[in-house]
C-alpha cells in the first residue's frame, strides 16, 4: 500500500515572556505542528517519554 502525504515545512517565530523561539514546523491540512519538547522547554515545562506506553 502506498500513500502520498503533502506537507509544507516552515519556520515560525514565537516569543514567550520575552524569549524568542524559532521553531521548525510542519503545516498539514491547515494545522501547524511544532516539536513538543522544544515548545515545552520554552514554556518551562517537562516532557517525558514512556516507550512502553
Amino acid at each position: 500500500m502506498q500513500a502520498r502525504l503533502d506537507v509544507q515545512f516552515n519556520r515560525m517565530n514565537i516569543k514567550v515572556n520575552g524569549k524568542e523561539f524559532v521553531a521548525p514546523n510542519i503545516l498539514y491540512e491547515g494545522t501547524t505542528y511544532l516539536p513538543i519538547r522544544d515548545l515545552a522547554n520554552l514554556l518551562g515545562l517537562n516532557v517525558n517519554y514512556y516507550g512502553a506506553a
Side-chain angles (χ1 to χ4, degrees):
M1 177 179 185
Q2 289 185 337
R4 181 181 169 155
L5 181 65
D6 292 320
V7 299
Q8 290 180 311
F9 294 94
N10 299 309
R11 295 193 73 74
M12 178 182 291
N13 296 325
I14 301 170
K15 187 179 269 189
V16 175
N17 296 328
K19 292 168 59 178
E20 191 164 328
F21 173 62
V22 178
N25 63 77
I26 295 174
L27 179 62
Y28 174 65
E29 292 188 350
T31 300
T32 300
Y33 295 89
L34 297 168
I36 191 68
R37 184 172 303 278
D38 293 340
L39 188 57
N41 287 337
L42 177 68
L43 297 171
L45 303 172
N46 293 323
V47 175
N48 296 309
Y49 174 75
Y50 301 102

